[in-house]
């Protein structure tokens, strides 16, 4: 193993020391070749002044439920099929040549609902927690024809008619192209396949961003939406609290870009595999450290995270994104505006005929929208969500989740997400269905 790779591991090891829960004891070691550089027992520091109660010492957990271990390696189609649901794979080619995979829990003849995942995520997010704990399964059981998108660059959408994912040109996109090309083409495919004129849309985090962009740049698609439900809606990041996101927004130094990937963000074959091995692999570390890394990005809420399922989570996420995509989010954070990618004043003038990038036209998002947000979401802060609500012309419902610790990922993975949120969502869908007689017999 190269010295460069070991130095990266050392950097990550140092990060791990900072993320161990409050007042936990741990024995951790770091080896360089056959030499042990560290072999320490330590008590963890406070992180961001946030106390996390831990009932037992950190330990290596080698006894993983075989079922969970299997699910961590299954793809979305195989997960759905394993649990007895009608699984389908579909392929969509965008106008700019990206080949996207759609997953379906098929209920032919039922109203289609499109689920669009968040940043660094995939279609697996809607089903990987298993039956009764996945929104995809729940919507199917409620009588809907469930379609789950995968945007360009993630695990299931890494093909192009001209480039491979090893080409820099493949990664020359942000969430802008997803809203302009990926989602409109996906919607057209679903409506053509099902012979429906409209569909329901549920987006989480970036899945809401791409919807606003579609509405801004392709407003004709608003007529194809029955009802849009936004989970942890993002457009403005002015009050974002996530230290990870804020760090990426402020620092784009060469060494940082080299670690996170020059074209692909956190390429799985290097940085993130090593990261998972150090702190999230089921056979080499503890659930406590791994969960804290997740919380560091999204907000702390131990009670809503099923730590038993962490091997499945890290088996499916992060699922891929472009570094340019992350830079775009960083620009949104720094500028406080929801606008197109900033190439610098010279290239902006050439591309946009303006020294600054144009803002997205949120007034064009005329579909009916319901917004669901939470107090403890470090990415979609209530103040920013409220700023977005004021800009959208047709918000018919906005709901602050009645649980103060609910964080950014609890919207899709929360242990009590059904009681706290999903039942309300389904009730709202029923109110807006054009045909309320939904068949749930199959």
């Amino acid at each position: 193993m190269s010295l460069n790779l070991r130095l990266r591991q050392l950097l990550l090891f140092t990060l791990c020391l900072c993320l161990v829960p409050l007042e936990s004891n741990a024995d951790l070691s770091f080896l360089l070749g056959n030499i042990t550089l560290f072999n320490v027992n330590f008590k963890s520091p406070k992180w961001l002044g946030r106390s996390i109660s831990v009932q037992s010492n950190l330990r290596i957990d080698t006894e993983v439920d075989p079922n969970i271990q299997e699910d961590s390696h299954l793809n979305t189609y195989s997960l759905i099929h394993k649990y007895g649901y009608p699984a389908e794979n579909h392929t969509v080619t965008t106008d700019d040549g990206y080949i996207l995979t759609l997953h379906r829990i098929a209920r032919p003849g039922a109203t289609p609902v499109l689920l669009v995942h968040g940043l660094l995520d995939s279609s697996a997010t809607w089903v990987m927690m298993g039956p009764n704990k996945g929104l995809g399964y729940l919507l199917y059981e409620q009588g809907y024809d469930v379609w789950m998108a995968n945007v360009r660059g993630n695990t299931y959408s890494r093909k192009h008619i001209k480039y491979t994912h090893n080409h820099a040109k493949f990664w020359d996109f942000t969430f802008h192209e997803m809203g302009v090309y990926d989602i409109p083409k996906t919607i057209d495919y679903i409506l053509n396949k099902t012979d429906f004129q409209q569909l329901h849309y549920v987006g989480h985090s970036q899945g809401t961003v791409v919807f606003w962009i579609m509405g801004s740049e392709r407003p004709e698609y608003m007529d194809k939406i029955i009802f849009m439900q936004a989970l942890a809606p993002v457009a403005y990041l002015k009050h974002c609290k996530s230290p990870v996101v804020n760090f990426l927004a402020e620092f784009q130094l060469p060494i940082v870009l080299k670690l996170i990937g020059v074209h692909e963000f956190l390429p799985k074959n290097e940085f993130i595999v090593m990261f998972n091995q150090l702190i999230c692999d089921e056979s080499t570390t503890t659930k406590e450290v791994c969960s804290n890394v997740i919380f560091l990005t999204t907000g702390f809420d131990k009670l809503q995270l099923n730590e038993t399922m962490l091997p499945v989570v890290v088996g499916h996420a992060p699922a891929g994104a472009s570094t340019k995509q992350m830079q775009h989010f960083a620009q949104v954070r720094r500028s406080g505006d929801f606008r197109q990618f900033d190439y610098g004043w010279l290239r902006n003038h050439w591309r946009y005929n303006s020294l600054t990038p144009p803002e997205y036209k949120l007034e064009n998002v005329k579909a009916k929208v319901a917004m669901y947000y939470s107090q403890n979401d470090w990415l979609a802060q209530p103040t920013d969500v409220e700023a977005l609500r004021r800009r959208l012309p047709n918000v018919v419902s906005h709901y602050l989740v009645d649980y103060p610790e609910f964080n950014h990922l609890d919207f899709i993975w929360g242990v009590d997400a059904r009681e706290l949120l999903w039942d309300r969502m389904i009730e709202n869908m029923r109110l807006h269905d054009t045909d309320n007689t939904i068949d749930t017999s199959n």
Side-chain angles (χ1 to χ4, degrees):
M1 189 177 291
S2 71
L3 179 61
N4 184 47
L5 189 58
R6 281 297 182 182
L7 289 174
R8 293 189 195 187
Q9 288 184 329
L10 179 58
L11 174 63
L12 285 171
F13 178 87
T14 305
L15 175 63
C16 293
L17 298 186
C18 297
L19 300 180
V20 178
L22 178 68
E23 297 183 354
S24 296
N25 296 315
D27 290 292
L28 294 177
S29 61
F30 183 85
L31 281 72
L32 182 60
N34 295 321
I35 304 172
T36 300
L37 295 184
F38 299 106
N39 190 356
V40 297
N41 179 280
F42 64 93
K43 186 171 287 187
S44 63
K46 288 187 178 180
W47 183 258
L48 299 175
R50 191 65 181 256
S51 297
I52 306 168
S53 59
V54 179
Q55 301 302 318
S56 60
N57 291 340
L58 291 173
R59 64 189 183 280
I60 293 176
D61 184 0
T62 58
E63 297 181 3
V64 179
D65 184 336
N67 213 39
I68 291 175
Q69 200 163 26
E70 181 185 34
D71 286 3
S72 72
H73 298 291
L74 293 178
N75 61 28
T76 302
Y77 174 89
S78 298
L79 281 172
I80 298 168
H81 181 73
K82 172 184 174 179
Y83 289 105
Y85 290 81
E88 292 181 4
N89 281 326
H90 294 263
T91 301
V92 176
T93 302
T94 66
D95 292 341
D96 60 345
Y98 286 84
I99 301 170
L100 316 176
T101 298
L102 262 172
H103 291 113
R104 183 188 189 188
I105 311 177
R107 190 183 287 279
T111 303
V113 53
L114 173 61
L115 309 181
V116 183
H117 61 80
L119 179 65
L120 294 168
D121 212 345
S122 73
S123 57
T125 203
W126 307 107
V127 297
M128 67 184 179
M129 290 298 171
N132 302 317
K133 292 297 181 181
L135 183 57
Y137 293 127
L138 178 60
L139 288 170
Y140 173 82
E141 289 161 358
Q142 292 295 316
Y144 292 98
D145 185 15
V146 180
W147 297 76
M148 294 163 285
N150 288 288
V151 297
R152 62 185 65 196
N154 88 353
T155 303
Y156 303 103
S157 299
R158 294 169 67 87
K159 293 182 180 179
H160 190 278
I161 60 174
K162 185 177 179 180
Y163 310 109
T164 73
H165 67 268
N166 294 318
H167 285 88
K169 189 66 178 174
F170 178 91
W171 298 101
D172 186 19
F173 63 80
T174 80
F175 46 78
H176 175 84
E177 286 77 14
M178 298 170 189
V180 172
Y181 298 113
D182 295 6
I183 303 306
K185 200 70 173 183
T186 297
I187 289 173
D188 285 341
Y189 180 89
I190 294 170
L191 295 181
N192 181 64
K193 195 76 175 177
T194 60
D195 201 29
F196 272 75
Q197 299 300 309
Q198 293 181 308
L199 52 71
H200 280 282
Y201 185 106
V202 176
H204 173 247
S205 189
Q206 182 184 259
T208 69
V209 174
V210 297
F211 187 88
W212 317 137
I213 293 171
M214 179 177 69
S216 169
E217 307 303 305
R218 308 285 297 273
E220 66 274 16
Y221 278 85
M222 295 296 95
D223 293 333
K224 301 183 181 185
I225 306 300
I226 299 171
F227 186 42
M228 189 281 191
Q229 300 200 80
L231 311 181
V234 173
Y236 301 105
L237 293 169
K238 188 175 181 180
H239 298 90
C240 174
K241 289 184 177 180
S242 169
V244 173
V245 174
N246 291 344
F247 173 82
L248 292 174
E250 296 302 327
F251 298 99
Q252 297 186 44
L253 303 174
I255 187 172
V256 176
L257 287 176
K258 188 173 182 180
L259 283 172
I260 67 176
V262 177
H263 304 298
E264 179 183 4
F265 183 76
L266 298 182
K268 269 206 166 184
N269 60 335
E270 291 183 11
F271 185 90
I272 199 60
V273 167
M274 181 170 54
F275 188 80
N276 287 346
Q277 287 174 343
L278 279 171
I279 63 169
C280 286
D281 187 85
E282 65 262 21
S283 63
T284 61
T285 190
T286 68
K287 298 179 179 70
E288 303 293 347
V289 182
C290 186
S291 61
N292 282 354
V293 173
I294 295 172
F295 294 150
L296 188 65
T297 304
T298 63
F300 285 79
D301 183 14
K302 287 187 72 67
L303 293 180
Q304 288 301 312
L305 177 65
N306 183 353
E307 292 185 341
T308 303
M309 297 298 289
L310 281 173
V312 180
V313 171
V314 300
H316 292 277
S322 74
T323 299
K324 184 178 179 182
Q325 185 179 339
M326 302 304 295
Q327 289 174 316
H328 198 173
F329 274 114
Q331 290 177 2
V332 171
R333 171 69 178 91
R334 286 198 305 273
S335 70
D337 297 319
F338 185 46
R339 61 188 188 181
Q340 296 189 36
F341 192 83
D342 190 344
Y343 291 93
W345 67 268
L346 188 60
R347 290 181 66 190
N348 284 345
H349 187 267
W350 177 67
R351 293 180 69 98
Y352 307 130
N353 197 30
S354 169
L355 298 181
T356 58
E359 290 195 31
Y360 289 112
K361 300 177 285 291
L362 290 172
E363 63 274 12
N364 288 348
V365 184
K366 295 183 179 178
K368 294 177 182 177
V369 172
M371 306 173 76
Y372 307 93
Y373 59 107
S374 62
Q375 195 68 45
N376 191 40
D377 186 338
W378 285 8
L379 293 169
Q381 277 285 286
T383 304
D384 291 330
V385 173
E386 178 59 26
L388 171 61
R389 186 184 72 83
R390 290 196 299 267
R391 291 287 310 278
L392 295 172
N394 200 8
V395 176
V396 297
S397 174
H398 59 100
Y399 176 69
L400 179 67
V401 176
D402 189 20
Y403 180 76
E405 299 302 311
F406 209 73
N407 73 21
H408 194 72
L409 293 176
D410 291 341
F411 287 90
I412 46 172
W413 300 343
V415 172
D416 300 313
R418 178 168 185 173
E419 293 77 10
L420 292 169
L421 176 65
W422 296 348
D423 284 343
R424 174 183 291 267
M425 289 175 57
I426 291 168
E427 182 180 346
N428 283 339
M429 290 175 74
R430 290 276 190 261
L431 291 174
H432 292 90
D433 273 323
T434 53
D435 179 6
N436 290 316
T437 57
I438 294 178
D439 179 18
T440 61
S441 59
N442 294 322

